[in-house]
């Protein structure tokens, strides 16, 4: 790292070429979205922690999803907001590396947690009588911890490979945060090993989990169609539809960014996709899981009633 810093001490985040007035306007809009993200995910996390009715494996994993969404947004947005407000777009080498580690880690962990949640739904619908035995708290803890360890490990491998390179200019990163592929373009040496590992990481984190989820949902849909009761089918579809909405949105954007061949003319499109993902994906999870989930809405109503009676 010391060798790299002798070449370059900071990067300039190009971001979007906007006037100062537009940057101030976006600062206000993005600040509101960021605050709403923290509040919405914080409410979901609080309800799951304090309401006994939500102490089940499904909501245990949902609480991890809330933590990840708050953390992912917090790894990118504060620096972006500071740059918009101060009209200064520099970031130190060390902060850039940390931003890459957290960004890659939380994105990978979210993929793995979504896979675990699909497995939870598979067991709940296809093996309802064995659900409590299979999805015991020991297994849930192991699955959650494994997801976090695996996510951070993959990120550290990617960043370690990047740190072996020298950065001798230009200093301009064509992004609004230190996105690893954009930073790699500034390296002096050959980056083919990094590109191979990034693609392999994308296949492992995106294609593999998505394939497992598709297999799970084929079994889930087949099991739902066998349910005799119309009300039972409706309840089962309602339980899974929230998860499918989040999976479709998340994996769709991630695969467009990391698995589609990188071309210079796509850089502006990728920045918009990343911005959309950073701002709106963390909001999607609490909205989808709260508005479409009867148990979460009931827990929220119980909390409000308790406050009124106090």
């Amino acid at each position: 790292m010391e060798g790299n810093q002798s070449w370059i001490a900071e990067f300039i985040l190009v971001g979007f070429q906007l006037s100062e007035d537009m940057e101030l306007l976006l600062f206000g809009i993005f600040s509101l979205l960021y605050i709403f993200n923290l509040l919405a995910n914080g409410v979901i996390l609080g309800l799951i922690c304090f309401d006994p009715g939500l102490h089940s494996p499904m909501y245990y994993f949902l609480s991890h999803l809330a933590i990840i969404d708050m953390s992912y947004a917090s790894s990118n947005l504060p620096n972006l907001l500071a740059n918009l407000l101060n009209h200064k777009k520099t970031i130190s080498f060390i902060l850039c590396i940390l931003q890459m580690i957290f960004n890659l880690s939380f994105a990978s962990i979210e993929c793995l947690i979504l896979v675990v949640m699909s497995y939870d739904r598979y067991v709940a619908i296809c093996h309802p009588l064995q659900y409590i035995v299979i999805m015991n708290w020991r297994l849930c803890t192991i699955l959650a911890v494994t997801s976090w360890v695996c996510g951070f490990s993959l990120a550290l491998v990617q960043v370690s490979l990047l740190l072996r390179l020298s950065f001798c200019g230009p200093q301009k990163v064509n992004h609004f945060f230190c996105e690893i592929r954009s930073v790699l373009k500034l390296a002096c040496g050959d980056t083919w090993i990094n590109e191979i590992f990034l693609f392999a990481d994308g296949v492992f984190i995106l294609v593999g989990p998505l394939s497992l989820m598709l297999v799970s949902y084929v079994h889930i849909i087949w099991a739902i169609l066998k349910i005799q009761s119309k009300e039972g089918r409706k309840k089962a579809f309602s339980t899974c539809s929230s998860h499918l909405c989040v999976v479709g949105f998340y994996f769709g954007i991630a695969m467009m960014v990391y698995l589609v061949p990188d071309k210079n003319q796509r850089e502006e499109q990728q920045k918009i996709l990343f911005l959309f993902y950073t701002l709106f994906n963390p909001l999607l999870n609490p909205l989808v899981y709260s508005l479409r989930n009867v148990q979460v809405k009931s827990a929220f109503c119980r909390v409000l009633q308790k406050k009124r009676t106090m």
Side-chain angles (χ1 to χ4, degrees), residues 32-278:
L32 289 174
L33 289 171
Y34 180 49
I35 291 167
F36 187 62
N37 161 32
L38 296 179
L39 288 174
N41 281 291
V43 167
I44 292 289
L45 189 59
L47 287 174
I48 293 169
C49 289
F50 297 112
D51 190 286
L54 300 181
H55 291 176
S56 66
M58 176 183 171
Y59 296 105
Y60 171 71
F61 296 125
L62 183 56
S63 69
H64 282 269
L65 207 58
I67 294 169
I68 293 162
D69 284 335
M70 289 190 287
S71 302
Y72 182 86
S74 297
S75 69
N76 298 335
L77 282 176
N79 185 71
L80 172 62
L81 293 173
N83 289 343
L84 289 173
L85 184 63
N86 301 324
H87 312 296
K88 178 186 174 185
K89 298 185 178 181
T90 58
I91 184 170
S92 70
F93 185 85
I94 297 296
L95 285 178
C96 185
I97 294 301
L98 288 174
Q99 197 175 65
M100 270 189 280
I101 291 172
F102 289 126
N103 179 267
L104 290 168
S105 298
F106 294 128
S108 300
I109 296 165
E110 182 153 3
C111 284
L112 297 172
I113 289 293
L114 287 172
V115 175
V116 172
M117 291 177 74
S118 70
Y119 176 68
D120 173 71
R121 292 300 84 207
Y122 163 75
V123 176
I125 291 171
C126 298
H127 305 283
L129 299 178
Q130 298 171 289
Y131 179 73
I132 296 174
V133 177
I134 296 173
M135 296 304 295
N136 57 73
W137 286 111
R138 183 175 177 274
L139 178 63
C140 292
T141 304
I142 290 171
L143 290 172
V145 170
T146 303
S147 298
W148 282 83
V149 171
C150 189
F152 272 100
S153 300
L154 290 170
L156 289 171
V157 168
Q158 296 294 348
V159 174
S160 298
L161 288 170
L162 181 135
L163 289 174
R164 71 185 176 83
L165 302 170
S166 296
F167 296 91
C168 47
Q171 294 173 275
K172 294 182 178 179
V173 178
N174 191 16
H175 221 293
F176 62 88
F177 74 102
C178 284
E179 195 273 322
I180 190 166
R181 291 175 74 174
S182 298
V183 175
L184 275 174
K185 291 177 182 177
L186 309 183
C188 303
D190 197 348
T191 61
W192 67 272
I193 293 177
N194 302 72
E195 295 291 345
I196 288 172
F197 270 82
L198 274 174
F199 184 78
D201 196 359
V203 171
F204 176 72
I205 285 293
L206 296 173
V207 178
L210 187 59
S211 301
L212 290 173
M213 280 187 276
L214 289 173
V215 171
S216 295
Y217 272 97
V218 167
H219 285 89
I220 287 170
I221 291 168
W222 184 249
I224 289 172
L225 293 174
K226 288 181 178 179
I227 297 174
Q228 300 294 326
S229 164
K230 185 179 178 181
E231 189 64 30
R233 284 199 302 270
K234 184 180 177 182
K235 185 178 179 182
F237 271 120
S238 178
T239 304
C240 298
S241 59
S242 300
H243 185 251
L244 280 172
C245 288
V246 174
V247 166
F249 183 84
Y250 180 87
F251 279 86
I253 290 179
M255 291 181 81
M256 280 191 286
V257 169
Y258 284 107
L259 295 182
V260 176
D262 189 24
K263 296 179 181 177
N264 289 332
Q265 59 264 35
R266 290 186 63 247
E267 286 183 343
E268 294 303 313
Q269 297 173 9
Q270 286 192 344
K271 282 193 280 187
I272 293 169
L273 284 172
F274 265 109
L275 184 64
F276 192 78
Y277 176 79
T278 303

